[in-house]
Structure formats: C-alpha cells, structure tokens
C-alpha cells in the first residue's frame, strides 16, 4: 500500500504479474461509493515495459481521502488493504476513510461486525 500515491500493488510473485489498483481524484465520498458499485476496481499491469489497463474487477471495498478527494476501489482479495493515516477527525479530515461493500462482506472476510475505519 502506497498511501502517498494512492496505489495498492498485489502479486508479482514467480507465477503472477503484479496488479496495481490506482486511485483517482473524485469529487465526493458518495461519488467514490458509486464508482465502486458502477465501475468496479480497475487495475493496470506492467508487461514488456508497458502499462496495460484492464477491465475492472468487482469492487468489494474502497478508501477515500476527503481532503484530497482521492478514491481507490478494491477487489475482494485487496479489501483489507489499509491506507495511512486514517481520518481521526472530520474537522480536519487528513488521511483515509475505509469502507467495505456490506453486500459482499462475510464473517470469513474478518470485517463483519467491525468498524471499517
């Protein structure tokens, strides 16, 4: 997790290519949530020195930085990614707020019944 640039990188082992879920500036928390539902979790991969944009995966969670208006949507296997710092005050909302799509969360995900922030 790269909180400064809003990127989650996963994979990259011997048998797989790293997937990078990159955030983007979105005007509001509600628009970030809507992106999760409507668009999903787009990602890029580097192959032969070029970055290739792929079709979005189903979105299970997202992180939103209210001060920067930055939104990162995430698939199920990345939903436990935590961006730091976490917002501790909405008076000066520095950091990230984390949300999981309640329709996809199960007890196995370790999030049901817990705060998502």
């Amino acid at each position: 997790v790269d909180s400064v640039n809003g990127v989650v990188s996963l994979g990259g082992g011997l048998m797989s290519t790293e997937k990078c879920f990159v955030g983007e500036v979105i005007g509001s928390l509600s628009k970030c949530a809507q992106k999760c539902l409507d668009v999903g979790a787009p990602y890029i991969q580097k192959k032969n020195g070029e970055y290739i944009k792929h079709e979005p995966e189903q979105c299970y969670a997202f992180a939103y930085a209210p001060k920067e208006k930055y939104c990162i949507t995430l698939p199920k296997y990345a939903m436990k990614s935590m961006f730091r710092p976490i917002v501790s005050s909405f008076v000066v909302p520095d950091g990230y707020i984390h949300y999981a799509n309640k329709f996809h969360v199960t007890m196995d995900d370790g999030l049901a019944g817990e705060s998502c922030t």
Side-chain angles (χ1 to χ4, degrees):
V1 174
D2 178 348
S3 295
V4 174
N5 296 307
V7 177
V8 173
S9 298
L10 298 165
L14 294 175
M15 301 302 288
S16 67
T17 304
E18 183 178 49
K19 292 182 178 181
C20 298
F21 295 88
V22 181
E24 67 177 310
V25 174
I26 289 190
S28 68
L29 175 63
S30 62
K31 288 180 181 177
C32 185
Q34 198 63 49
K35 177 188 176 193
C36 183
L37 294 173
D38 294 345
V39 176
Y43 68 96
I44 59 173
Q45 287 181 306
K46 189 174 185 179
K47 190 171 186 178
N48 298 328
E50 292 185 41
Y51 288 98
I52 300 167
K53 188 174 181 179
H54 292 274
E55 289 294 316
E57 296 187 13
Q58 186 174 9
C59 181
Y60 279 74
F62 64 93
Y64 185 73
K67 185 176 179 183
E68 295 82 7
K69 299 185 183 320
Y70 210 69
C71 173
I72 302 99
T73 54
L74 301 166
K76 185 174 185 175
Y77 53 87
M79 67 188 288
K80 293 182 182 179
S81 300
M82 295 296 286
F83 290 87
R84 304 272 188 229
I86 295 174
V87 168
S88 60
S89 167
F90 285 97
V91 176
V92 182
D94 285 330
Y96 288 86
I97 306 167
H98 299 87
Y99 293 91
N101 185 332
K102 71 178 183 176
F103 298 107
H104 298 302
V105 176
T106 66
M107 293 302 283
D108 293 336
D109 296 324
L111 293 172
E114 297 178 17
S115 172
C116 292
T117 59

